[in-house]
Amino acid sequence: MDLSFLVVVVIVTALVFDFTNGFHDTANAMATSIATGALKPKIAVALSAVLNLVGAFISTEVAKTISSGIVDDAKVTVPVIFGGLVGAILWNLLTWYLGLPSSSSHALFGGLIGATWIASGSSAVHFGTVVQKIIVPAIAAPLVAGVVALLGTFLAYRITARARKKSVDDGFRAGQMASASLVSLAHGTGDAQKTMGVITLVLITSGSLASGSRPPLWVILAAGLAIAAGTYLGGWRIIRTMGKGLAEIESPQGFSAETSSTAVLLASSHLGFPLSTTQVCSGSILGAGLGKRLAEVRWTVAGRMAVAWLLTLPAAAIVGALSGRVADSGNLGVVVIAVLAVAAGGGIYAASRRRPVTSENVNEYPSATTPSTTTAAAA
């Protein structure tokens, strides 16, 4: 098997994943600002793209966790990594089409774990690290972010209770420009590193880097540019779900949700926890919805999101395992999987064009898809 051919293919595939991560997760930073009118849609995604690129240079702790923490780099092969990436990309595209803000991070982890497990056995997966740095934070982070956003929203409305509504909205919309920018910065800091970690793992596995190495500068730059390009594309389907589908968000709630998300994400990146930006931001939006008395929260949409979260790891793991097994048979296997993946991705994109979501209709959420709503009140 031509190792240099495989390394190039896998690095390109990793950057394609990074690109899908960008447009899949743009909603995390900008959905609430777009929904409240704080930022115009196209300006929002452009600003988010620039800050994602800047954020990619802030830290590499998460990248190191992925390149040497989740799987044993001595037992992983380059085709196996390729299979894991294919599983993550296809799950990202499917959930984007459905407008479900599932975790790109967990799709990546699931794909890598499934492919590695099938190829090298369970001993090649560091399950202790998976539980400690992926499973436990995945449960705790949305809850923490939601509680912080709930309290922030409650205080924001209490403090401004006697102020003119227009003045309050204008002030918090101005604040959202800063808070949404910080979420984008935090997203670039966390999520771009995941692709850096995968590429670094490929370079270690192929013998180009020593075990335990940090990402080279060109890897950091390439990952930052790929996620920024994907972010600029928009990902309008998921933006609509998070901005209008999950809860009716006003500017004080949007500001509280974004600030909460930023605090949790930056802290986790510093500690090397590869959190799902989607889960953190979704938890913040739910908390912000619950923090306003008589606010509307669409629990049907929240339930669909929760199901997608539960399925992400195993679904990506199954596709990653199958793809990795075929790719491990040789260059022909890699080509077969690449062709099938492109065909599947093309089919999903073609289906999405039947009912496109664009910057023009992103705030028009179809009420027919969310028949049951409830009201929530905070103390």
Side-chain angles (χ1 to χ4, degrees), residues 26-42 44-45 165 169 172-173 176-177 180 236 238-255 257-258 285 298 358-365:
T26 308
N28 298 332
M30 293 299 173
T32 52
S33 292
I34 292 171
T36 62
L39 288 168
K40 292 183 178 180
K42 290 187 177 180
V45 297
K165 188 176 188 306
D169 288 342
F172 277 109
R173 281 174 184 157
Q176 277 192 273
M177 296 180 189
W236 304 111
I238 298 177
I239 290 176
R240 184 166 69 176
T241 298
M242 291 187 72
K244 288 294 184 180
L246 194 55
E248 289 296 328
I249 295 293
E250 297 179 348
S251 52
Q253 295 166 286
F255 177 79
E258 291 161 359
I285 292 172
R298 296 184 177 92
T358 67
S359 60
E360 302 298 325
N361 64 0
V362 67
N363 281 335
E364 299 172 7
Y365 191 81

Side-chain angles (χ1 to χ4, degrees), residues 9 31 48 53 78 94 122 137 139 163 199 208 220 231 233 238 250 255 263-264 283 305 325 330 339 355 367 379:
V9 169
S48 184
L53 176 58
V78 178
L94 177 62
S122 59
I139 297 171
I199 296 176
S208 300
I220 297 173
T231 300
L233 189 65
I238 298 177
E250 297 179 348
F255 177 79
V264 173
M305 289 169 49
R325 173 61 63 88
V339 170
R355 293 184 179 179
S367 58

Side-chain angles (χ1 to χ4, degrees), residues 48 64 73 75 81 180 242 260 285 299 320 353 362 367:
S48 184
K64 194 170 187 301
D73 56 29
K75 296 181 179 180
I81 299 172
M242 291 187 72
S260 169
I285 292 172
W299 292 108
R353 304 316 299 161
V362 67
S367 58

Side-chain angles (χ1 to χ4, degrees), residues 312-328:
T312 296
L313 270 171
I318 291 170
V319 178
L322 294 173
S323 301
R325 173 61 63 88
V326 175
D328 207 22

